[in-house]
Amino acid sequence: MDAQQINELIQQYQPQVLAMAVQALTAIIIFYVGKYIAGFVRSMLVRILTARKLDATLVSFVGSLAYGALLAFTVIAALAQIGIQTASFVAVLAAAGLAIGLALQGSLSNFAAGILLMIFRPFKAGDFVEAAGVAGIVEEIGIFTTQMRTGDNKTLIIPNSQVTDTVITNYSTKPTRRVDLVFGIGYDDDIDAARDVIRSVIEADERIHKDPEPLIVVSALADSSVNFTVRVWVNSGDYWPVNFALTEATKKALDAADITIPYPQRDVHIHQVAG
């Protein structure tokens, strides 16, 4: 092949080579620009979510998820630029995603519930809560499960979907709680004297708040007793100590004042029928 033929071949394929070079250069630019944008978006998301004091695990996962999605879009755009048909590739990815979603729908449900728990934060680690039919102190909120510790030191691992599907009672949210107790006295005992005894027990406990004022009222004339309902406010951390101490102290004070706490009883009347 002489120089003239080589020159003719170069002139013949020069436009195609230049076009391919431009396409390749454009694809490279698209990839690097897209990669930079994906990294920038990830950094912005991490800063925003961190500023909102969301869980570090959630922040890292959301940032990585956004980065991966944008990078995949960038790769597809770059491949399309150099003439590779990406429609079938996208269809395969979609089908694979659908199959994986159906196979892992239970895990995905727990994952979505974990995301909601971390975003809306109905409770945090250290709170005493009741959820999914159990109660305990929250130790860890994970992507798929929530770990709790019961009062008798048992560890509970609860799927997040079960937590979000039930009513969540958080006993640690408010700084104060109300202690509700009921004390019964005999029908023959002095109501005013019993009220004074109960009030003296309440006033002797410094953990009980003066505001709101403690409530001591006759709430029921029961079958065997006259019932007092007692309601006092305490710090949330003092709820159970005050509950137990107030019950014991009131019993002792009523006994010392000769005020009875009656047992359930019935009056039985026997009628003799003439033969």
Side-chain angles (χ1 to χ4, degrees):
M1 182 178 296
D2 56 19
Q4 183 178 357
Q5 291 176 331
I6 294 175
N7 188 35
E8 290 177 354
L9 286 175
I10 292 175
Q11 292 179 354
Q12 180 180 355
Y13 291 104
Q14 185 177 12
Q16 290 86 341
V17 172
L18 288 176
M20 292 178 61
V22 170
Q23 289 176 344
L25 180 61
T26 304
I28 293 173
I29 294 174
I30 290 174
F31 175 77
Y32 280 102
V33 170
K35 185 178 179 181
Y36 172 79
I37 293 175
F40 177 77
V41 171
R42 178 175 61 180
S43 299
M44 288 295 296
L45 280 175
V46 168
R47 283 198 293 268
I48 292 172
L49 297 179
T50 302
R52 296 188 62 181
K53 298 181 179 180
L54 294 182
D55 187 87
T57 304
L58 175 62
V59 172
S60 176
F61 178 81
V62 172
S64 298
L65 184 64
Y67 180 80
L70 290 174
L71 192 60
F73 177 79
T74 299
V75 171
I76 292 174
L79 292 176
Q81 180 63 34
I82 59 177
I84 297 177
Q85 297 296 325
T86 59
S88 58
F89 180 69
V90 173
V92 170
L93 286 180
L98 178 60
I100 293 172
L102 292 175
L104 301 177
Q105 55 183 341
S107 298
L108 292 177
S109 176
N110 291 326
F111 169 77
I115 296 297
L116 293 177
L117 288 175
M118 293 178 184
I119 291 176
F120 295 105
R121 301 178 69 86
F123 51 79
K124 63 182 184 300
D127 285 353
F128 182 81
V129 304
E130 183 177 347
V134 296
I137 298 174
V138 178
E139 292 189 324
E140 181 182 351
I141 305 171
I143 293 294
F144 296 99
T145 61
T146 295
Q147 180 174 315
M148 297 170 58
R149 185 181 76 251
T150 63
D152 54 352
N153 209 32
K154 293 185 294 188
T155 298
L156 303 176
I157 308 297
I158 310 170
N160 285 333
S161 60
Q162 294 186 19
V163 175
T164 56
D165 286 344
T166 60
V167 175
I168 300 173
T169 304
N170 191 337
Y171 296 98
S172 302
T173 302
K174 304 299 182 182
T176 59
R177 288 183 64 186
R178 192 180 71 189
V179 179
D180 293 358
L181 296 172
V182 176
F183 300 105
I185 65 172
Y187 271 90
D188 295 332
D189 293 315
D190 189 319
I191 291 177
D192 293 328
R195 182 184 287 109
D196 291 339
V197 170
I198 297 172
R199 182 179 292 110
S200 66
V201 173
I202 292 174
E203 291 175 349
D205 195 327
E206 297 180 353
R207 295 169 296 183
I208 296 175
H209 296 179
K210 301 299 186 291
D211 185 24
E213 184 179 356
L215 177 69
I216 309 171
V217 295
V218 175
S219 57
L221 302 177
D223 293 339
S224 304
S225 63
V226 177
N227 291 342
F228 280 92
T229 292
V230 177
R231 294 175 177 173
V232 298
W233 287 88
V234 299
N235 293 334
S236 294
D238 293 331
Y239 178 85
W240 286 113
V242 170
N243 189 308
F244 298 143
L246 188 59
T247 300
E248 179 179 347
T250 302
K251 172 64 169 66
K252 292 178 178 178
L254 291 174
D255 289 345
D258 293 326
I259 297 174
T260 59
I261 299 178
Y263 298 100
Q265 57 186 345
R266 291 181 181 273
D267 291 335
V268 179
H269 301 275
I270 301 176
H271 298 279
Q272 184 175 0
V273 180

